[in-house]
Amino acid sequence: MTKLAKEGDFINRVKAFRQEKKLSQLALAEAIGVARQTINLIENNKYNPSLDLCIKLAETLDTDLDTLFWDTRNHT
Amino acid sequence: MKLHYRTLKHFFGLEGTFDEYRQNQLNKWISQAFTWIQLYLLIMLIIATTLQNSHPKLLITLLMIGNVIVLIAPMVYIQRKVNQENFNVIEIDAKNYNSTKQTLLKRTHFSTLLFFIVFHLIASWQTLSSNGNFIANIFSIKQIVTSLIASIFFWILIRLTSLRNIRVVVDED
C-alpha cells in the first residue's frame, strides 16, 4: 500500500540532477519558466510542484518523474 | 499570463516570473484578506443595526473610518507578505548587473513621467477653488514647480527602492 508523502518529508532529487547537469538554480529556473526561489523551495521540500512543473523539471534534467520524485523508502 | 495575474503583478510590484508558486501564495493572501473583510462587514452590519436610530452621525463616522482601514489594510498586508517572501527582488547573474541597472533606470524615468502627469493633473484640478481656471492651473509656474519637486522625490524613492531590490544570486542550499 502506498503511503502519501506529507509536505516536508518528501525527498526529491532535483538538486542532485541539477548539479549533475552543472546548472545553477537561476539557469534551471529560466529554462522551465519559474522563479529561482521556486526551484530553491522545491529542492528543499518546502513546496510541492504541480504535475505540469514536475514534467518540465524532468524533461529539462533529462530524466523521468519516477527517478526525480519517487521515494523508494516510503513506497513499496 | 492572464490579465488578472498581470494586473496583480504590477499592482504589488512583483519582479521576475510570476509562476505557479507565486500565484498560489498571492491567491492565499488575497483569500485571507477577503475573510477579514467579510468579518468586518458582519461586525459593521451589527453595529449599523444597533446605532442606526440612536446615533446616525456616529455610525457614518465609524463607517467612513472603517472603510478607509478596510481599503488600505489588505493592501498593506499583502505588500508585507510580498516583501517577506522576496517576490519584489530582482534576481540576476553578476554579469547582468549593469544592464539590469540601466533597464531599471529607464523604468524609473517612465514611472516618474507618469507620476508627474497624474500628479500635475490632480493638483491642478484640486486647486480649482482658489483659481477657477483648470487650464490656467495646468500652465501655472507655481503648480509646475510643485509637481516637479514632487516628481524629483518620487524619482529618488523609486530609484533607491529598485536598486535595493537588485540581488546578485548564488545558489541557496
Side-chain angles (χ1 to χ4, degrees), chain B residues 3-26:
Chain B
L3 181 66
H4 164 68
Y5 285 121
R6 215 179 307 158
T7 313
L8 286 175
K9 187 175 186 254
H10 289 291
F11 188 78
F12 290 111
L14 272 68
E15 294 290 345
T17 314
F18 197 31
D19 57 26
E20 60 173 49
Y21 172 72
R22 291 172 169 213
Q23 289 175 10
N24 290 344
Q25 289 297 93
L26 202 62

Side-chain angles (χ1 to χ4, degrees), chain A residues 15 18 24-26 33-38 40-41 44 47 49-50 53, chain B residues 17 19-22 24 85-87 89 91-93 169-173:
Chain A
K15 187 178 174 184
R18 176 178 62 76
S24 66
Q25 286 181 338
L26 194 61
V34 296
R36 188 204 58 84
Q37 291 148 331
T38 307
N40 188 47
L41 290 167
N44 290 299
Y47 174 60
S50 68
L53 188 51
Chain B
T17 314
D19 57 26
E20 60 173 49
Y21 172 72
R22 291 172 169 213
N24 290 344
E85 292 244 16
N86 290 329
F87 285 0
V89 168
E91 295 194 320
I92 50 161
D93 274 331
V169 289
V170 284
D171 288 355
E172 292 171 35
D173 291 319

Side-chain angles (χ1 to χ4, degrees), chain B residues 130-144:
Chain B
S130 56
N131 178 359
N133 192 338
F134 180 61
I135 301 296
N137 279 347
I138 286 178
F139 292 105
S140 140
I141 297 293
K142 189 182 161 194
Q143 198 62 67
I144 291 171

Side-chain angles (χ1 to χ4, degrees), chain A residues 4-60:
Chain A
L4 284 174
K6 282 186 292 181
E7 195 176 355
D9 67 4
F10 189 80
I11 307 296
N12 69 63
R13 295 171 193 85
V14 174
K15 187 178 174 184
F17 272 89
R18 176 178 62 76
Q19 287 175 336
E20 197 180 291
K21 290 209 70 143
K22 294 187 171 39
L23 284 170
S24 66
Q25 286 181 338
L26 194 61
L28 178 60
E30 281 169 1
I32 61 171
V34 296
R36 188 204 58 84
Q37 291 148 331
T38 307
I39 297 293
N40 188 47
L41 290 167
I42 294 169
E43 286 183 355
N44 290 299
N45 303 304
K46 287 177 183 165
Y47 174 60
N48 287 333
S50 68
L51 182 58
D52 188 43
L53 188 51
C54 290
I55 292 169
K56 279 184 190 168
L57 273 169
E59 280 174 352
T60 310

Side-chain angles (χ1 to χ4, degrees), chain B residues 148-165:
Chain B
L148 273 175
I149 291 170
S151 300
I152 289 167
F153 278 108
F154 180 84
W155 188 91
I156 293 168
L157 183 73
I158 296 293
R159 184 68 180 149
L160 290 177
T161 310
S162 60
L163 285 179
R164 197 198 66 178
N165 285 343

